[in-house]
Amino acid sequence: MNEVINDIQGSRFLLDVNGKEVYVLYAEDKETLDLYSTYTPPKLRGQGLAEKVVLAAFLYAKEKKLKVVASCWYVRKFLEKHTEFRSIVSQ
């Protein structure tokens, strides 16, 4: 399976699975990374693919010392499982 890439031009973290795209959309500024929408094609749901792209976004934010704005419901759900990232979430 392919790795998650940061599609800077498309403002999304993207995973290509046999030509189908799983992604989280973001808006970035100097201090924050707003994760505002995730998408997984219906036939690929339930495989942990959205978790992979959101994890990549959090690791990017941590590396760049950005606060994450969890606008998307899935990102908030991700944080319930991955409490280690709560310290970089914007309140």
Side-chain angles (χ1 to χ4, degrees), residues 6-7 20 22-23 28 37 42 44 56 63 67 70 73 79 85:
N6 182 358
D7 173 14
K20 299 197 183 309
V22 177
Y23 56 83
E28 181 178 355
S37 183
L44 297 177
E63 179 184 320
K67 287 287 189 179
W73 71 269
L79 285 166
F85 291 111

Side-chain angles (χ1 to χ4, degrees), residues 32 83 89:
T32 63
T83 57
V89 174

Side-chain angles (χ1 to χ4, degrees), residues 21-49:
E21 296 181 339
V22 177
Y23 56 83
V24 59
L25 298 173
Y26 67 84
E28 181 178 355
D29 64 25
K30 290 180 185 178
E31 298 176 359
T32 63
L33 186 70
D34 182 359
L35 303 177
Y36 65 87
S37 183
T38 57
Y39 178 73
T40 303
K43 290 185 178 184
L44 297 177
R45 292 179 185 167
Q47 300 178 40
L49 300 174

